[in-house]
PDB file of all heavy atoms in Angstrom:
ATOM      1  N   ALA A 270      -5.489  13.812  23.586  1.00  0.00           N
ATOM      2  CA  ALA A 270      -6.829  14.188  23.136  1.00  0.00           C
ATOM      3  C   ALA A 270      -7.439  13.125  22.236  1.00  0.00           C
ATOM      4  O   ALA A 270      -8.658  12.926  22.239  1.00  0.00           O
ATOM      5  CB  ALA A 270      -6.767  15.521  22.404  1.00  0.00           C
ATOM      6  N   GLU A 271      -6.599  12.434  21.448  1.00  0.00           N
ATOM      7  CA  GLU A 271      -7.085  11.398  20.542  1.00  0.00           C
ATOM      8  C   GLU A 271      -6.135  10.209  20.518  1.00  0.00           C
ATOM      9  O   GLU A 271      -4.954  10.329  20.873  1.00  0.00           O
ATOM     10  CB  GLU A 271      -7.267  11.933  19.118  1.00  0.00           C
ATOM     11  CG  GLU A 271      -8.424  12.907  18.947  1.00  0.00           C
ATOM     12  CD  GLU A 271      -9.793  12.269  19.119  1.00  0.00           C
ATOM     13  OE1 GLU A 271      -9.872  11.020  19.185  1.00  0.00           O
ATOM     14  OE2 GLU A 271     -10.777  13.021  19.198  1.00  0.00           O
ATOM     15  N   LEU A 272      -6.662   9.089  20.067  1.00  0.00           N
ATOM     16  CA  LEU A 272      -5.902   7.845  19.986  1.00  0.00           C
ATOM     17  C   LEU A 272      -6.064   7.260  18.591  1.00  0.00           C
ATOM     18  O   LEU A 272      -7.189   7.097  18.104  1.00  0.00           O
ATOM     19  CB  LEU A 272      -6.412   6.849  21.031  1.00  0.00           C
ATOM     20  CG  LEU A 272      -5.915   5.402  20.938  1.00  0.00           C
ATOM     21  CD1 LEU A 272      -4.408   5.338  21.189  1.00  0.00           C
ATOM     22  CD2 LEU A 272      -6.665   4.520  21.932  1.00  0.00           C
ATOM     23  N   LEU A 273      -4.954   6.945  17.948  1.00  0.00           N
ATOM     24  CA  LEU A 273      -4.951   6.321  16.626  1.00  0.00           C
ATOM     25  C   LEU A 273      -4.418   4.899  16.736  1.00  0.00           C
ATOM     26  O   LEU A 273      -3.326   4.677  17.261  1.00  0.00           O
ATOM     27  CB  LEU A 273      -4.072   7.123  15.657  1.00  0.00           C
ATOM     28  CG  LEU A 273      -3.687   6.450  14.334  1.00  0.00           C
ATOM     29  CD1 LEU A 273      -4.921   6.127  13.501  1.00  0.00           C
ATOM     30  CD2 LEU A 273      -2.716   7.329  13.546  1.00  0.00           C
ATOM     31  N   VAL A 274      -5.203   3.954  16.233  1.00  0.00           N
ATOM     32  CA  VAL A 274      -4.767   2.557  16.193  1.00  0.00           C
ATOM     33  C   VAL A 274      -4.220   2.264  14.804  1.00  0.00           C
ATOM     34  O   VAL A 274      -4.938   2.372  13.806  1.00  0.00           O
ATOM     35  CB  VAL A 274      -5.931   1.602  16.520  1.00  0.00           C
ATOM     36  CG1 VAL A 274      -5.468   0.154  16.409  1.00  0.00           C
ATOM     37  CG2 VAL A 274      -6.458   1.876  17.912  1.00  0.00           C
ATOM     38  N   ALA A 275      -2.940   1.914  14.750  1.00  0.00           N
ATOM     39  CA  ALA A 275      -2.275   1.620  13.474  1.00  0.00           C
ATOM     40  C   ALA A 275      -1.514   0.308  13.611  1.00  0.00           C
ATOM     41  O   ALA A 275      -0.309   0.237  13.421  1.00  0.00           O
ATOM     42  CB  ALA A 275      -1.332   2.759  13.106  1.00  0.00           C
ATOM     43  N   THR A 276      -2.257  -0.746  13.953  1.00  0.00           N
ATOM     44  CA  THR A 276      -1.643  -2.038  14.275  1.00  0.00           C
ATOM     45  C   THR A 276      -1.826  -3.076  13.172  1.00  0.00           C
ATOM     46  O   THR A 276      -1.723  -4.275  13.425  1.00  0.00           O
ATOM     47  CB  THR A 276      -2.219  -2.572  15.596  1.00  0.00           C
ATOM     48  OG1 THR A 276      -3.649  -2.558  15.538  1.00  0.00           O
ATOM     49  CG2 THR A 276      -1.757  -1.721  16.769  1.00  0.00           C
ATOM     50  N   GLY A 277      -2.106  -2.631  11.968  1.00  0.00           N
ATOM     51  CA  GLY A 277      -2.200  -3.557  10.856  1.00  0.00           C
ATOM     52  C   GLY A 277      -3.566  -3.556  10.200  1.00  0.00           C
ATOM     53  O   GLY A 277      -4.499  -2.860  10.634  1.00  0.00           O
ATOM     54  N   ARG A 278      -3.686  -4.358   9.146  1.00  0.00           N
ATOM     55  CA  ARG A 278      -4.924  -4.459   8.381  1.00  0.00           C
ATOM     56  C   ARG A 278      -5.224  -5.923   8.088  1.00  0.00           C
ATOM     57  O   ARG A 278      -4.323  -6.765   8.158  1.00  0.00           O
ATOM     58  CB  ARG A 278      -4.805  -3.670   7.066  1.00  0.00           C
ATOM     59  CG  ARG A 278      -4.513  -2.178   7.287  1.00  0.00           C
ATOM     60  CD  ARG A 278      -4.476  -1.410   5.977  1.00  0.00           C
ATOM     61  NE  ARG A 278      -5.779  -1.332   5.334  1.00  0.00           N
ATOM     62  CZ  ARG A 278      -6.717  -0.448   5.662  1.00  0.00           C
ATOM     63  NH1 ARG A 278      -6.510   0.429   6.629  1.00  0.00           N
ATOM     64  NH2 ARG A 278      -7.869  -0.425   5.014  1.00  0.00           N
ATOM     65  N   ARG A 279      -6.483  -6.194   7.791  1.00  0.00           N
ATOM     66  CA  ARG A 279      -6.904  -7.559   7.461  1.00  0.00           C
ATOM     67  C   ARG A 279      -7.683  -7.531   6.154  1.00  0.00           C
ATOM     68  O   ARG A 279      -8.344  -6.544   5.827  1.00  0.00           O
ATOM     69  CB  ARG A 279      -7.779  -8.126   8.576  1.00  0.00           C
ATOM     70  CG  ARG A 279      -8.994  -7.283   8.878  1.00  0.00           C
ATOM     71  CD  ARG A 279      -9.960  -7.935   9.850  1.00  0.00           C
ATOM     72  NE  ARG A 279     -11.035  -7.030  10.234  1.00  0.00           N
ATOM     73  CZ  ARG A 279     -12.063  -6.690   9.464  1.00  0.00           C
ATOM     74  NH1 ARG A 279     -12.164  -7.203   8.236  1.00  0.00           N
ATOM     75  NH2 ARG A 279     -12.991  -5.853   9.887  1.00  0.00           N
ATOM     76  N   PRO A 280      -7.618  -8.620   5.377  1.00  0.00           N
ATOM     77  CA  PRO A 280      -8.394  -8.672   4.129  1.00  0.00           C
ATOM     78  C   PRO A 280      -9.882  -8.500   4.405  1.00  0.00           C
ATOM     79  O   PRO A 280     -10.417  -9.063   5.369  1.00  0.00           O
ATOM     80  CB  PRO A 280      -8.085 -10.069   3.584  1.00  0.00           C
ATOM     81  CG  PRO A 280      -6.786 -10.449   4.208  1.00  0.00           C
ATOM     82  CD  PRO A 280      -6.805  -9.829   5.571  1.00  0.00           C
ATOM     83  N   ARG A 281     -10.543  -7.724   3.572  1.00  0.00           N
ATOM     84  CA  ARG A 281     -11.971  -7.486   3.741  1.00  0.00           C
ATOM     85  C   ARG A 281     -12.734  -8.576   2.992  1.00  0.00           C
ATOM     86  O   ARG A 281     -13.262  -8.375   1.900  1.00  0.00           O
ATOM     87  CB  ARG A 281     -12.323  -6.089   3.222  1.00  0.00           C
ATOM     88  CG  ARG A 281     -13.717  -5.620   3.606  1.00  0.00           C
ATOM     89  CD  ARG A 281     -13.986  -4.210   3.115  1.00  0.00           C
ATOM     90  NE  ARG A 281     -13.413  -3.211   3.998  1.00  0.00           N
ATOM     91  CZ  ARG A 281     -12.811  -2.093   3.603  1.00  0.00           C
ATOM     92  NH1 ARG A 281     -12.667  -1.842   2.317  1.00  0.00           N
ATOM     93  NH2 ARG A 281     -12.349  -1.236   4.472  1.00  0.00           N
TER      94      ARG A 281
END
Side-chain angles (χ1 to χ4, degrees):
E271 290 292 350
L272 169 65
L273 166 61
V274 177
T276 52
R278 301 183 68 82
R279 57 172 173 74
R281 192 178 279 140

